[in-house]
Every structure is written in C-alpha cells, then in structure tokens.
Amino acid sequence: MNDEHYLREAIRAAREGMNSGEGGPFGCVIVKDGVIVGRGNNRVTSSNDPTAHAEVVAIRDACKNLNDFQLNGCVLYTSCEPCPMCLGAIYWARPDRVVFACTREDAADAGFDDQLIYDELPLPYPERRISTEHKLRDEAQVVFTEWKQKQDKIRY
C-alpha cells in the first residue's frame, strides 16, 4: 500500500463522518507497519467536544490499540492539513511522518478558518482576544521541582 491508498482512507472517513452527521468533513488514519492502527473523523458537533478533531480522535484510537502513549513507527494520514491544536497533538504523539490532502486554505474556503489562532499565538498575553493572566508561578513551580526529583516517573 502507498501514501495515496491511506490518504483515500482518510478522505473516506471524512465523507462518512460528515454524511452521518458526526461532524465536519475531516478524516484521519494512522498506519504502522502497513496496518491501520487508528481511525478518526471529526466528531465535534456530535460529541459536544471541541477537541474531537479527526486527528485527535485517530491518535486516541491508535494509542489505545497500540497500548502506548506515543506513535513511534507510525504515519498519520489526514484529509486536511492539521489545525494548530491537532499539530500540537501530533507532535506530542511523535509519529514518524504526516501526510495530508487539502490545505489550511482549502479548509478556510469551506468555512474552517484557523487564521485567528495563528494570529493570536505570537501576541503578548494582554493583547490576546481571550483574557490570559499569569499568576501563582512560584507555587506551581513546586510541583515541577517534585517531578524532577520523582524517581519512578515515566518520561515522555
């Protein structure tokens, strides 16, 4: 099987999820050693979960199926270029590669525009649209100190 085969599976998942009313037109599959180990389609509106994007759903499915919190040795195929949230999740999951079909400009043209997020990221906290405040750093850093000293931690 080649990249195009798995991208078509992601596109099929996008169409099926959209037509079944689960959410927007986005699909994703995750492949390891030629086997699909995770599948997802957008389920934002059907689950009332704004994080239920196709990539996040597929990452959760693959990690459950692989019994691992990382996707080493995997390739993530998605019907559209990942949004900022999904891109963050992808980097945390650490697949070997990402292959996508539509671009973020295609998504924006269909009504899924993430430009606001891209514009907000470099802004100082007081200039962001959602009020963001920084407090209790010293108290919170104690937990990080405890983590650094913890002998039985699982690194990720």
Side-chain angles (χ1 to χ4, degrees):
M1 304 290 176
N2 58 19
D3 287 344
E4 289 77 11
H5 170 80
Y6 296 115
L7 270 178
R8 287 185 182 103
E9 284 294 310
I11 294 165
R12 186 180 61 71
R15 181 176 288 113
E16 286 179 5
M18 175 188 69
N19 288 338
S20 70
E22 289 187 307
F26 302 94
C28 180
V29 296
I30 298 173
V31 176
K32 184 169 187 170
D33 299 327
V35 176
I36 295 176
V37 295
R39 294 179 181 272
N41 58 274
N42 184 288
R43 297 179 184 160
V44 169
T45 57
S46 63
S47 66
N48 293 318
D49 178 356
T51 70
H53 289 200
E55 296 89 341
V56 172
V57 172
I59 288 168
R60 290 173 181 163
D61 187 45
C63 288
K64 180 187 71 169
N65 292 332
L66 294 171
N67 196 32
D68 200 341
F69 55 86
Q70 297 198 322
L71 298 176
N72 297 316
C74 294
V75 180
L76 185 145
Y77 295 91
T78 182
S79 65
C80 188
E81 181 177 358
C83 76
M85 176 187 71
C86 292
L87 190 58
I90 289 165
Y91 271 86
W92 282 119
R94 295 180 176 92
D96 291 358
R97 288 192 309 135
V98 173
V99 183
F100 66 91
C102 290
T103 66
R104 70 186 200 191
E105 291 81 13
D106 297 327
D109 185 60
F112 299 93
D113 192 352
D114 299 322
Q115 191 59 48
L116 169 68
I117 299 169
Y118 291 107
D119 292 343
E120 290 281 301
L121 287 173
L123 294 178
Y125 300 138
E127 295 179 26
R128 292 183 181 174
R129 292 181 188 223
I130 297 177
S131 177
T132 304
E133 301 174 24
H134 182 206
K135 298 180 180 185
L136 298 178
R137 180 179 181 210
D138 292 339
E139 288 183 38
Q141 278 188 319
V142 172
V143 181
F144 281 142
T145 300
E146 292 169 7
W147 171 258
K148 289 188 273 186
Q149 296 169 353
K150 187 173 172 51
Q151 296 300 309
D152 62 343
K153 62 186 165 204
I154 298 173
R155 294 188 181 275
Y156 58 98

